[in-house]
Amino acid sequence: QVQLVESGGGLVQAGGSLRLSCAASGRTFSTTSMAWFRQAPGKEREFVGVVNWSGVNTNVAPSVKGRFTISRDNAKNTMYLQMNSLKPEDTAVYYCTALGSNGDWTYWGQGTQVTVSS
């Protein structure tokens, strides 16, 4: 069974930084695109960023451009989200996901809470 586990969330002050990790187990995802989403209380799930299978190509949402960076280490089956200059509106549960063969985000982690105080 495929499992994705996020870690690294916590409480930080506005302007601070956090680094989230998403570790894959049960199957190798080294050839699969992966992405980060987030969901704030009472709001819809929001796309944050994506990284291709090799880690060379990345894209992030306009709301986090210039502040967040996505990377991956295929030798460790781990994807990362480096978050700098955090804002209170970044407060959310952050989820990692992996692309399935049908072209949809198929595999999901349990989420990790990020809280940014003003």
Side-chain angles (χ1 to χ4, degrees), residues 6-13 16-21 36-41 48 67-68 81 83-84 86-95 111-117:
E6 302 94 337
S7 62
L11 173 64
V12 297
Q13 293 180 317
S17 298
L18 284 174
R19 187 176 185 88
L20 305 184
S21 299
W36 289 97
F37 286 76
R38 66 186 182 185
Q39 188 168 24
V48 176
R67 301 187 298 119
F68 290 11
L81 182 66
M83 305 185 295
N84 298 325
L86 283 162
K87 304 175 180 179
E89 53 261 43
D90 295 319
T91 295
V93 177
Y94 283 70
Y95 298 92
T112 185
Q113 177 70 49
V114 172
T115 302
V116 184
S117 62

PDB file of all heavy atoms in Angstrom, residues 6-13 16-21 36-41 48 67-68 81 83-84 86-95 111-117:
ATOM      1  N   GLU A   6       3.453  13.686   5.727  1.00  0.00           N
ATOM      2  CA  GLU A   6       3.989  15.034   5.841  1.00  0.00           C
ATOM      3  C   GLU A   6       4.549  15.257   7.249  1.00  0.00           C
ATOM      4  O   GLU A   6       4.047  14.690   8.222  1.00  0.00           O
ATOM      5  CB  GLU A   6       2.913  16.092   5.563  1.00  0.00           C
ATOM      6  CG  GLU A   6       2.243  15.987   4.205  1.00  0.00           C
ATOM      7  CD  GLU A   6       0.969  15.175   4.246  1.00  0.00           C
ATOM      8  OE1 GLU A   6       0.803  14.341   5.161  1.00  0.00           O
ATOM      9  OE2 GLU A   6       0.118  15.385   3.354  1.00  0.00           O
ATOM     10  N   SER A   7       5.541  16.124   7.344  1.00  0.00           N
ATOM     11  CA  SER A   7       6.089  16.514   8.630  1.00  0.00           C
ATOM     12  C   SER A   7       6.711  17.901   8.510  1.00  0.00           C
ATOM     13  O   SER A   7       6.912  18.408   7.415  1.00  0.00           O
ATOM     14  CB  SER A   7       7.129  15.509   9.131  1.00  0.00           C
ATOM     15  OG  SER A   7       8.234  15.437   8.246  1.00  0.00           O
ATOM     16  N   GLY A   8       7.013  18.515   9.644  1.00  0.00           N
ATOM     17  CA  GLY A   8       7.703  19.794   9.667  1.00  0.00           C
ATOM     18  C   GLY A   8       6.827  20.987   9.977  1.00  0.00           C
ATOM     19  O   GLY A   8       7.345  22.106  10.089  1.00  0.00           O
ATOM     20  N   GLY A   9       5.521  20.790  10.123  1.00  0.00           N
ATOM     21  CA  GLY A   9       4.643  21.895  10.447  1.00  0.00           C
ATOM     22  C   GLY A   9       4.854  22.381  11.865  1.00  0.00           C
ATOM     23  O   GLY A   9       5.515  21.736  12.682  1.00  0.00           O
ATOM     24  N   GLY A  10       4.281  23.544  12.162  1.00  0.00           N
ATOM     25  CA  GLY A  10       4.413  24.110  13.488  1.00  0.00           C
ATOM     26  C   GLY A  10       3.896  25.526  13.544  1.00  0.00           C
ATOM     27  O   GLY A  10       3.213  25.991  12.632  1.00  0.00           O
ATOM     28  N   LEU A  11       4.232  26.209  14.631  1.00  0.00           N
ATOM     29  CA  LEU A  11       3.816  27.584  14.873  1.00  0.00           C
ATOM     30  C   LEU A  11       5.011  28.510  14.693  1.00  0.00           C
ATOM     31  O   LEU A  11       6.060  28.301  15.317  1.00  0.00           O
ATOM     32  CB  LEU A  11       3.251  27.726  16.283  1.00  0.00           C
ATOM     33  CG  LEU A  11       2.915  29.132  16.763  1.00  0.00           C
ATOM     34  CD1 LEU A  11       1.805  29.734  15.919  1.00  0.00           C
ATOM     35  CD2 LEU A  11       2.531  29.103  18.230  1.00  0.00           C
ATOM     36  N   VAL A  12       4.858  29.520  13.844  1.00  0.00           N
ATOM     37  CA  VAL A  12       5.915  30.499  13.609  1.00  0.00           C
ATOM     38  C   VAL A  12       5.318  31.897  13.571  1.00  0.00           C
ATOM     39  O   VAL A  12       4.127  32.078  13.330  1.00  0.00           O
ATOM     40  CB  VAL A  12       6.687  30.240  12.303  1.00  0.00           C
ATOM     41  CG1 VAL A  12       7.402  28.894  12.354  1.00  0.00           C
ATOM     42  CG2 VAL A  12       5.740  30.296  11.112  1.00  0.00           C
ATOM     43  N   GLN A  13       6.170  32.889  13.800  1.00  0.00           N
ATOM     44  CA  GLN A  13       5.769  34.280  13.674  1.00  0.00           C
ATOM     45  C   GLN A  13       5.774  34.702  12.215  1.00  0.00           C
ATOM     46  O   GLN A  13       6.488  34.132  11.388  1.00  0.00           O
ATOM     47  CB  GLN A  13       6.711  35.188  14.463  1.00  0.00           C
ATOM     48  CG  GLN A  13       6.651  35.011  15.964  1.00  0.00           C
ATOM     49  CD  GLN A  13       7.600  35.944  16.684  1.00  0.00           C
ATOM     50  OE1 GLN A  13       8.740  36.127  16.259  1.00  0.00           O
ATOM     51  NE2 GLN A  13       7.138  36.543  17.766  1.00  0.00           N
ATOM     52  N   GLY A  16       8.705  34.473   9.465  1.00  0.00           N
ATOM     53  CA  GLY A  16       9.552  33.335   9.745  1.00  0.00           C
ATOM     54  C   GLY A  16       9.537  32.299   8.642  1.00  0.00           C
ATOM     55  O   GLY A  16       8.921  32.485   7.587  1.00  0.00           O
ATOM     56  N   SER A  17      10.207  31.170   8.900  1.00  0.00           N
ATOM     57  CA  SER A  17      10.366  30.118   7.899  1.00  0.00           C
ATOM     58  C   SER A  17      10.065  28.748   8.482  1.00  0.00           C
ATOM     59  O   SER A  17      10.243  28.504   9.682  1.00  0.00           O
ATOM     60  CB  SER A  17      11.795  30.108   7.350  1.00  0.00           C
ATOM     61  OG  SER A  17      12.114  31.322   6.693  1.00  0.00           O
ATOM     62  N   LEU A  18       9.610  27.844   7.616  1.00  0.00           N
ATOM     63  CA  LEU A  18       9.436  26.435   7.932  1.00  0.00           C
ATOM     64  C   LEU A  18       9.813  25.619   6.710  1.00  0.00           C
ATOM     65  O   LEU A  18       9.687  26.093   5.580  1.00  0.00           O
ATOM     66  CB  LEU A  18       7.992  26.108   8.323  1.00  0.00           C
ATOM     67  CG  LEU A  18       7.489  26.490   9.707  1.00  0.00           C
ATOM     68  CD1 LEU A  18       5.992  26.203   9.804  1.00  0.00           C
ATOM     69  CD2 LEU A  18       8.240  25.728  10.789  1.00  0.00           C
ATOM     70  N   ARG A  19      10.243  24.380   6.938  1.00  0.00           N
ATOM     71  CA  ARG A  19      10.527  23.454   5.858  1.00  0.00           C
ATOM     72  C   ARG A  19       9.702  22.190   6.074  1.00  0.00           C
ATOM     73  O   ARG A  19       9.903  21.473   7.059  1.00  0.00           O
ATOM     74  CB  ARG A  19      12.010  23.097   5.799  1.00  0.00           C
ATOM     75  CG  ARG A  19      12.398  22.256   4.582  1.00  0.00           C
ATOM     76  CD  ARG A  19      13.908  22.031   4.534  1.00  0.00           C
ATOM     77  NE  ARG A  19      14.340  21.330   3.330  1.00  0.00           N
ATOM     78  CZ  ARG A  19      14.653  21.931   2.189  1.00  0.00           C
ATOM     79  NH1 ARG A  19      14.585  23.248   2.087  1.00  0.00           N
ATOM     80  NH2 ARG A  19      15.041  21.215   1.139  1.00  0.00           N
ATOM     81  N   LEU A  20       8.764  21.930   5.158  1.00  0.00           N
ATOM     82  CA  LEU A  20       7.928  20.749   5.229  1.00  0.00           C
ATOM     83  C   LEU A  20       8.538  19.616   4.416  1.00  0.00           C
ATOM     84  O   LEU A  20       9.176  19.850   3.391  1.00  0.00           O
ATOM     85  CB  LEU A  20       6.525  21.042   4.698  1.00  0.00           C
ATOM     86  CG  LEU A  20       5.770  22.209   5.326  1.00  0.00           C
ATOM     87  CD1 LEU A  20       4.360  22.283   4.746  1.00  0.00           C
ATOM     88  CD2 LEU A  20       5.734  22.092   6.837  1.00  0.00           C
ATOM     89  N   SER A  21       8.317  18.385   4.871  1.00  0.00           N
ATOM     90  CA  SER A  21       8.771  17.201   4.165  1.00  0.00           C
ATOM     91  C   SER A  21       7.597  16.280   3.898  1.00  0.00           C
ATOM     92  O   SER A  21       6.651  16.225   4.674  1.00  0.00           O
ATOM     93  CB  SER A  21       9.830  16.444   4.980  1.00  0.00           C
ATOM     94  OG  SER A  21      10.971  17.238   5.210  1.00  0.00           O
ATOM     95  N   TRP A  36       2.103  20.018  -3.569  1.00  0.00           N
ATOM     96  CA  TRP A  36       1.615  20.454  -2.274  1.00  0.00           C
ATOM     97  C   TRP A  36       0.301  21.203  -2.450  1.00  0.00           C
ATOM     98  O   TRP A  36       0.165  22.043  -3.348  1.00  0.00           O
ATOM     99  CB  TRP A  36       2.610  21.371  -1.568  1.00  0.00           C
ATOM    100  CG  TRP A  36       3.849  20.701  -1.075  1.00  0.00           C
ATOM    101  CD1 TRP A  36       5.061  20.634  -1.687  1.00  0.00           C
ATOM    102  CD2 TRP A  36       3.990  20.006   0.176  1.00  0.00           C
ATOM    103  NE1 TRP A  36       5.955  19.942  -0.914  1.00  0.00           N
ATOM    104  CE2 TRP A  36       5.328  19.545   0.236  1.00  0.00           C
ATOM    105  CE3 TRP A  36       3.136  19.738   1.238  1.00  0.00           C
ATOM    106  CZ2 TRP A  36       5.815  18.825   1.330  1.00  0.00           C
ATOM    107  CZ3 TRP A  36       3.627  19.018   2.315  1.00  0.00           C
ATOM    108  CH2 TRP A  36       4.946  18.571   2.350  1.00  0.00           C
ATOM    109  N   PHE A  37      -0.666  20.899  -1.587  1.00  0.00           N
ATOM    110  CA  PHE A  37      -1.910  21.640  -1.459  1.00  0.00           C
ATOM    111  C   PHE A  37      -2.056  22.088  -0.010  1.00  0.00           C
ATOM    112  O   PHE A  37      -1.400  21.560   0.892  1.00  0.00           O
ATOM    113  CB  PHE A  37      -3.117  20.793  -1.858  1.00  0.00           C
ATOM    114  CG  PHE A  37      -3.262  20.564  -3.338  1.00  0.00           C
ATOM    115  CD1 PHE A  37      -2.448  19.661  -4.001  1.00  0.00           C
ATOM    116  CD2 PHE A  37      -4.222  21.250  -4.066  1.00  0.00           C
ATOM    117  CE1 PHE A  37      -2.581  19.448  -5.361  1.00  0.00           C
ATOM    118  CE2 PHE A  37      -4.371  21.040  -5.427  1.00  0.00           C
ATOM    119  CZ  PHE A  37      -3.551  20.143  -6.073  1.00  0.00           C
ATOM    120  N   ARG A  38      -2.944  23.052   0.217  1.00  0.00           N
ATOM    121  CA  ARG A  38      -3.230  23.474   1.582  1.00  0.00           C
ATOM    122  C   ARG A  38      -4.710  23.788   1.728  1.00  0.00           C
ATOM    123  O   ARG A  38      -5.390  24.110   0.765  1.00  0.00           O
ATOM    124  CB  ARG A  38      -2.386  24.688   1.988  1.00  0.00           C
ATOM    125  CG  ARG A  38      -2.705  25.965   1.221  1.00  0.00           C
ATOM    126  CD  ARG A  38      -1.710  27.062   1.584  1.00  0.00           C
ATOM    127  NE  ARG A  38      -2.012  28.315   0.912  1.00  0.00           N
ATOM    128  CZ  ARG A  38      -1.254  29.404   0.986  1.00  0.00           C
ATOM    129  NH1 ARG A  38      -0.134  29.377   1.725  1.00  0.00           N
ATOM    130  NH2 ARG A  38      -1.602  30.511   0.346  1.00  0.00           N
ATOM    131  N   GLN A  39      -5.203  23.691   2.961  1.00  0.00           N
ATOM    132  CA  GLN A  39      -6.597  23.969   3.239  1.00  0.00           C
ATOM    133  C   GLN A  39      -6.716  24.675   4.582  1.00  0.00           C
ATOM    134  O   GLN A  39      -6.346  24.121   5.617  1.00  0.00           O
ATOM    135  CB  GLN A  39      -7.433  22.691   3.237  1.00  0.00           C
ATOM    136  CG  GLN A  39      -8.929  22.936   3.343  1.00  0.00           C
ATOM    137  CD  GLN A  39      -9.742  21.693   3.045  1.00  0.00           C
ATOM    138  OE1 GLN A  39      -9.257  20.574   3.194  1.00  0.00           O
ATOM    139  NE2 GLN A  39     -10.970  21.881   2.609  1.00  0.00           N
ATOM    140  N   ALA A  40      -7.228  25.900   4.550  1.00  0.00           N
ATOM    141  CA  ALA A  40      -7.486  26.663   5.761  1.00  0.00           C
ATOM    142  C   ALA A  40      -8.880  26.339   6.277  1.00  0.00           C
ATOM    143  O   ALA A  40      -9.745  25.894   5.516  1.00  0.00           O
ATOM    144  CB  ALA A  40      -7.359  28.156   5.479  1.00  0.00           C
ATOM    145  N   PRO A  41      -9.142  26.553   7.573  1.00  0.00           N
ATOM    146  CA  PRO A  41     -10.464  26.252   8.132  1.00  0.00           C
ATOM    147  C   PRO A  41     -11.583  26.961   7.381  1.00  0.00           C
ATOM    148  O   PRO A  41     -11.525  28.170   7.149  1.00  0.00           O
ATOM    149  CB  PRO A  41     -10.355  26.760   9.566  1.00  0.00           C
ATOM    150  CG  PRO A  41      -8.903  26.681   9.889  1.00  0.00           C
ATOM    151  CD  PRO A  41      -8.207  27.034   8.604  1.00  0.00           C
ATOM    152  N   VAL A  48      -0.688  24.708  -4.103  1.00  0.00           N
ATOM    153  CA  VAL A  48       0.468  25.480  -3.660  1.00  0.00           C
ATOM    154  C   VAL A  48       1.615  25.395  -4.659  1.00  0.00           C
ATOM    155  O   VAL A  48       2.193  26.413  -5.045  1.00  0.00           O
ATOM    156  CB  VAL A  48       0.950  25.022  -2.272  1.00  0.00           C
ATOM    157  CG1 VAL A  48       2.212  25.775  -1.863  1.00  0.00           C
ATOM    158  CG2 VAL A  48      -0.153  25.215  -1.238  1.00  0.00           C
ATOM    159  N   ARG A  67       8.339  33.243  -2.350  1.00  0.00           N
ATOM    160  CA  ARG A  67       8.464  32.921  -0.930  1.00  0.00           C
ATOM    161  C   ARG A  67       8.636  31.429  -0.674  1.00  0.00           C
ATOM    162  O   ARG A  67       9.368  31.046   0.239  1.00  0.00           O
ATOM    163  CB  ARG A  67       7.240  33.420  -0.157  1.00  0.00           C
ATOM    164  CG  ARG A  67       7.019  34.926  -0.265  1.00  0.00           C
ATOM    165  CD  ARG A  67       5.895  35.395   0.660  1.00  0.00           C
ATOM    166  NE  ARG A  67       4.613  34.791   0.309  1.00  0.00           N
ATOM    167  CZ  ARG A  67       3.901  34.009   1.123  1.00  0.00           C
ATOM    168  NH1 ARG A  67       4.341  33.739   2.341  1.00  0.00           N
ATOM    169  NH2 ARG A  67       2.727  33.522   0.734  1.00  0.00           N
ATOM    170  N   PHE A  68       7.956  30.588  -1.462  1.00  0.00           N
ATOM    171  CA  PHE A  68       8.001  29.134  -1.276  1.00  0.00           C
ATOM    172  C   PHE A  68       8.811  28.496  -2.391  1.00  0.00           C
ATOM    173  O   PHE A  68       8.757  28.935  -3.546  1.00  0.00           O
ATOM    174  CB  PHE A  68       6.592  28.530  -1.298  1.00  0.00           C
ATOM    175  CG  PHE A  68       5.732  28.869  -0.106  1.00  0.00           C
ATOM    176  CD1 PHE A  68       6.090  29.837   0.805  1.00  0.00           C
ATOM    177  CD2 PHE A  68       4.539  28.188   0.080  1.00  0.00           C
ATOM    178  CE1 PHE A  68       5.289  30.143   1.893  1.00  0.00           C
ATOM    179  CE2 PHE A  68       3.727  28.477   1.157  1.00  0.00           C
ATOM    180  CZ  PHE A  68       4.100  29.453   2.063  1.00  0.00           C
ATOM    181  N   LEU A  81       9.000  21.383   0.917  1.00  0.00           N
ATOM    182  CA  LEU A  81       8.443  22.708   0.684  1.00  0.00           C
ATOM    183  C   LEU A  81       9.131  23.667   1.646  1.00  0.00           C
ATOM    184  O   LEU A  81       8.854  23.647   2.845  1.00  0.00           O
ATOM    185  CB  LEU A  81       6.929  22.729   0.889  1.00  0.00           C
ATOM    186  CG  LEU A  81       6.247  24.073   0.629  1.00  0.00           C
ATOM    187  CD1 LEU A  81       6.340  24.452  -0.847  1.00  0.00           C
ATOM    188  CD2 LEU A  81       4.785  24.035   1.070  1.00  0.00           C
ATOM    189  N   MET A  83       9.380  27.213   3.049  1.00  0.00           N
ATOM    190  CA  MET A  83       8.480  28.344   3.174  1.00  0.00           C
ATOM    191  C   MET A  83       9.200  29.465   3.909  1.00  0.00           C
ATOM    192  O   MET A  83       9.552  29.317   5.083  1.00  0.00           O
ATOM    193  CB  MET A  83       7.204  27.953   3.908  1.00  0.00           C
ATOM    194  CG  MET A  83       6.473  26.769   3.283  1.00  0.00           C
ATOM    195  SD  MET A  83       4.892  26.411   4.101  1.00  0.00           S
ATOM    196  CE  MET A  83       5.491  25.915   5.720  1.00  0.00           C
ATOM    197  N   ASN A  84       9.405  30.580   3.229  1.00  0.00           N
ATOM    198  CA  ASN A  84      10.037  31.757   3.807  1.00  0.00           C
ATOM    199  C   ASN A  84       9.056  32.921   3.805  1.00  0.00           C
ATOM    200  O   ASN A  84       8.056  32.912   3.098  1.00  0.00           O
ATOM    201  CB  ASN A  84      11.288  32.141   3.021  1.00  0.00           C
ATOM    202  CG  ASN A  84      12.346  31.063   3.030  1.00  0.00           C
ATOM    203  OD1 ASN A  84      12.526  30.355   4.016  1.00  0.00           O
ATOM    204  ND2 ASN A  84      13.077  30.946   1.925  1.00  0.00           N
ATOM    205  N   LEU A  86       6.814  33.926   5.831  1.00  0.00           N
ATOM    206  CA  LEU A  86       5.460  33.432   6.065  1.00  0.00           C
ATOM    207  C   LEU A  86       4.523  34.544   6.517  1.00  0.00           C
ATOM    208  O   LEU A  86       4.917  35.455   7.245  1.00  0.00           O
ATOM    209  CB  LEU A  86       5.477  32.314   7.092  1.00  0.00           C
ATOM    210  CG  LEU A  86       5.952  30.961   6.545  1.00  0.00           C
ATOM    211  CD1 LEU A  86       6.371  30.040   7.672  1.00  0.00           C
ATOM    212  CD2 LEU A  86       4.843  30.318   5.712  1.00  0.00           C
ATOM    213  N   LYS A  87       3.273  34.446   6.065  1.00  0.00           N
ATOM    214  CA  LYS A  87       2.231  35.400   6.383  1.00  0.00           C
ATOM    215  C   LYS A  87       1.100  34.698   7.122  1.00  0.00           C
ATOM    216  O   LYS A  87       0.921  33.486   6.973  1.00  0.00           O
ATOM    217  CB  LYS A  87       1.672  36.033   5.103  1.00  0.00           C
ATOM    218  CG  LYS A  87       2.713  36.703   4.223  1.00  0.00           C
ATOM    219  CD  LYS A  87       2.083  37.187   2.922  1.00  0.00           C
ATOM    220  CE  LYS A  87       3.105  37.854   2.032  1.00  0.00           C
ATOM    221  NZ  LYS A  87       2.490  38.315   0.752  1.00  0.00           N
ATOM    222  N   PRO A  88       0.306  35.422   7.908  1.00  0.00           N
ATOM    223  CA  PRO A  88      -0.826  34.788   8.592  1.00  0.00           C
ATOM    224  C   PRO A  88      -1.765  34.054   7.645  1.00  0.00           C
ATOM    225  O   PRO A  88      -2.329  33.014   8.020  1.00  0.00           O
ATOM    226  CB  PRO A  88      -1.529  35.962   9.281  1.00  0.00           C
ATOM    227  CG  PRO A  88      -0.428  36.933   9.536  1.00  0.00           C
ATOM    228  CD  PRO A  88       0.481  36.823   8.342  1.00  0.00           C
ATOM    229  N   GLU A  89      -1.936  34.541   6.429  1.00  0.00           N
ATOM    230  CA  GLU A  89      -2.815  33.886   5.471  1.00  0.00           C
ATOM    231  C   GLU A  89      -2.260  32.563   4.953  1.00  0.00           C
ATOM    232  O   GLU A  89      -2.960  31.838   4.245  1.00  0.00           O
ATOM    233  CB  GLU A  89      -3.141  34.813   4.292  1.00  0.00           C
ATOM    234  CG  GLU A  89      -1.918  35.402   3.614  1.00  0.00           C
ATOM    235  CD  GLU A  89      -1.615  36.813   4.079  1.00  0.00           C
ATOM    236  OE1 GLU A  89      -1.696  37.060   5.303  1.00  0.00           O
ATOM    237  OE2 GLU A  89      -1.314  37.671   3.234  1.00  0.00           O
ATOM    238  N   ASP A  90      -1.015  32.231   5.285  1.00  0.00           N
ATOM    239  CA  ASP A  90      -0.456  30.924   4.962  1.00  0.00           C
ATOM    240  C   ASP A  90      -0.897  29.848   5.948  1.00  0.00           C
ATOM    241  O   ASP A  90      -0.617  28.664   5.732  1.00  0.00           O
ATOM    242  CB  ASP A  90       1.074  30.979   4.939  1.00  0.00           C
ATOM    243  CG  ASP A  90       1.615  31.873   3.837  1.00  0.00           C
ATOM    244  OD1 ASP A  90       1.067  31.840   2.717  1.00  0.00           O
ATOM    245  OD2 ASP A  90       2.592  32.601   4.102  1.00  0.00           O
ATOM    246  N   THR A  91      -1.561  30.245   7.022  1.00  0.00           N
ATOM    247  CA  THR A  91      -2.034  29.288   8.020  1.00  0.00           C
ATOM    248  C   THR A  91      -3.006  28.306   7.391  1.00  0.00           C
ATOM    249  O   THR A  91      -4.019  28.699   6.807  1.00  0.00           O
ATOM    250  CB  THR A  91      -2.704  30.013   9.185  1.00  0.00           C
ATOM    251  OG1 THR A  91      -1.730  30.815   9.866  1.00  0.00           O
ATOM    252  CG2 THR A  91      -3.303  29.022  10.170  1.00  0.00           C
ATOM    253  N   ALA A  92      -2.706  27.011   7.489  1.00  0.00           N
ATOM    254  CA  ALA A  92      -3.517  25.969   6.869  1.00  0.00           C
ATOM    255  C   ALA A  92      -2.937  24.609   7.222  1.00  0.00           C
ATOM    256  O   ALA A  92      -1.837  24.504   7.764  1.00  0.00           O
ATOM    257  CB  ALA A  92      -3.543  26.139   5.341  1.00  0.00           C
ATOM    258  N   VAL A  93      -3.696  23.567   6.900  1.00  0.00           N
ATOM    259  CA  VAL A  93      -3.151  22.217   6.886  1.00  0.00           C
ATOM    260  C   VAL A  93      -2.566  21.982   5.505  1.00  0.00           C
ATOM    261  O   VAL A  93      -3.244  22.179   4.494  1.00  0.00           O
ATOM    262  CB  VAL A  93      -4.223  21.163   7.207  1.00  0.00           C
ATOM    263  CG1 VAL A  93      -3.629  19.758   7.114  1.00  0.00           C
ATOM    264  CG2 VAL A  93      -4.802  21.395   8.593  1.00  0.00           C
ATOM    265  N   TYR A  94      -1.316  21.562   5.456  1.00  0.00           N
ATOM    266  CA  TYR A  94      -0.619  21.345   4.200  1.00  0.00           C
ATOM    267  C   TYR A  94      -0.572  19.856   3.892  1.00  0.00           C
ATOM    268  O   TYR A  94      -0.187  19.048   4.738  1.00  0.00           O
ATOM    269  CB  TYR A  94       0.796  21.922   4.264  1.00  0.00           C
ATOM    270  CG  TYR A  94       0.821  23.423   4.131  1.00  0.00           C
ATOM    271  CD1 TYR A  94       0.331  24.230   5.152  1.00  0.00           C
ATOM    272  CD2 TYR A  94       1.310  24.030   2.975  1.00  0.00           C
ATOM    273  CE1 TYR A  94       0.325  25.611   5.024  1.00  0.00           C
ATOM    274  CE2 TYR A  94       1.310  25.407   2.847  1.00  0.00           C
ATOM    275  CZ  TYR A  94       0.823  26.193   3.877  1.00  0.00           C
ATOM    276  OH  TYR A  94       0.829  27.565   3.745  1.00  0.00           O
ATOM    277  N   TYR A  95      -0.969  19.499   2.672  1.00  0.00           N
ATOM    278  CA  TYR A  95      -1.031  18.119   2.226  1.00  0.00           C
ATOM    279  C   TYR A  95      -0.096  17.894   1.047  1.00  0.00           C
ATOM    280  O   TYR A  95       0.015  18.746   0.169  1.00  0.00           O
ATOM    281  CB  TYR A  95      -2.446  17.757   1.768  1.00  0.00           C
ATOM    282  CG  TYR A  95      -3.505  17.845   2.839  1.00  0.00           C
ATOM    283  CD1 TYR A  95      -4.242  19.015   3.022  1.00  0.00           C
ATOM    284  CD2 TYR A  95      -3.789  16.761   3.651  1.00  0.00           C
ATOM    285  CE1 TYR A  95      -5.219  19.104   3.994  1.00  0.00           C
ATOM    286  CE2 TYR A  95      -4.764  16.839   4.621  1.00  0.00           C
ATOM    287  CZ  TYR A  95      -5.479  18.013   4.789  1.00  0.00           C
ATOM    288  OH  TYR A  95      -6.456  18.092   5.756  1.00  0.00           O
ATOM    289  N   GLY A 111      -1.597  15.248   6.182  1.00  0.00           N
ATOM    290  CA  GLY A 111      -1.526  16.673   6.403  1.00  0.00           C
ATOM    291  C   GLY A 111      -0.689  17.053   7.600  1.00  0.00           C
ATOM    292  O   GLY A 111      -0.541  16.285   8.553  1.00  0.00           O
ATOM    293  N   THR A 112      -0.131  18.261   7.562  1.00  0.00           N
ATOM    294  CA  THR A 112       0.609  18.813   8.690  1.00  0.00           C
ATOM    295  C   THR A 112       0.194  20.272   8.879  1.00  0.00           C
ATOM    296  O   THR A 112       0.057  21.023   7.913  1.00  0.00           O
ATOM    297  CB  THR A 112       2.135  18.689   8.476  1.00  0.00           C
ATOM    298  OG1 THR A 112       2.828  19.125   9.651  1.00  0.00           O
ATOM    299  CG2 THR A 112       2.617  19.497   7.282  1.00  0.00           C
ATOM    300  N   GLN A 113      -0.034  20.665  10.124  1.00  0.00           N
ATOM    301  CA  GLN A 113      -0.559  21.990  10.435  1.00  0.00           C
ATOM    302  C   GLN A 113       0.544  23.034  10.425  1.00  0.00           C
ATOM    303  O   GLN A 113       1.585  22.859  11.067  1.00  0.00           O
ATOM    304  CB  GLN A 113      -1.239  21.985  11.809  1.00  0.00           C
ATOM    305  CG  GLN A 113      -1.754  23.352  12.257  1.00  0.00           C
ATOM    306  CD  GLN A 113      -2.946  23.819  11.458  1.00  0.00           C
ATOM    307  OE1 GLN A 113      -3.901  23.070  11.272  1.00  0.00           O
ATOM    308  NE2 GLN A 113      -2.888  25.062  10.976  1.00  0.00           N
ATOM    309  N   VAL A 114       0.302  24.131   9.716  1.00  0.00           N
ATOM    310  CA  VAL A 114       1.176  25.301   9.730  1.00  0.00           C
ATOM    311  C   VAL A 114       0.367  26.476  10.251  1.00  0.00           C
ATOM    312  O   VAL A 114      -0.684  26.803   9.697  1.00  0.00           O
ATOM    313  CB  VAL A 114       1.734  25.619   8.336  1.00  0.00           C
ATOM    314  CG1 VAL A 114       2.479  26.953   8.345  1.00  0.00           C
ATOM    315  CG2 VAL A 114       2.645  24.502   7.861  1.00  0.00           C
ATOM    316  N   THR A 115       0.838  27.100  11.318  1.00  0.00           N
ATOM    317  CA  THR A 115       0.166  28.250  11.900  1.00  0.00           C
ATOM    318  C   THR A 115       1.137  29.418  11.957  1.00  0.00           C
ATOM    319  O   THR A 115       2.227  29.295  12.518  1.00  0.00           O
ATOM    320  CB  THR A 115      -0.351  27.940  13.312  1.00  0.00           C
ATOM    321  OG1 THR A 115      -1.236  26.819  13.262  1.00  0.00           O
ATOM    322  CG2 THR A 115      -1.099  29.137  13.884  1.00  0.00           C
ATOM    323  N   VAL A 116       0.740  30.549  11.385  1.00  0.00           N
ATOM    324  CA  VAL A 116       1.574  31.748  11.341  1.00  0.00           C
ATOM    325  C   VAL A 116       0.881  32.833  12.145  1.00  0.00           C
ATOM    326  O   VAL A 116      -0.231  33.251  11.813  1.00  0.00           O
ATOM    327  CB  VAL A 116       1.811  32.225   9.907  1.00  0.00           C
ATOM    328  CG1 VAL A 116       2.760  33.422   9.903  1.00  0.00           C
ATOM    329  CG2 VAL A 116       2.365  31.092   9.061  1.00  0.00           C
ATOM    330  N   SER A 117       1.519  33.288  13.200  1.00  0.00           N
ATOM    331  CA  SER A 117       0.945  34.304  14.069  1.00  0.00           C
ATOM    332  C   SER A 117       1.321  35.695  13.587  1.00  0.00           C
ATOM    333  O   SER A 117       2.416  35.916  13.052  1.00  0.00           O
ATOM    334  CB  SER A 117       1.409  34.106  15.507  1.00  0.00           C
ATOM    335  OG  SER A 117       2.820  34.233  15.611  1.00  0.00           O
TER     336      SER A 117
END
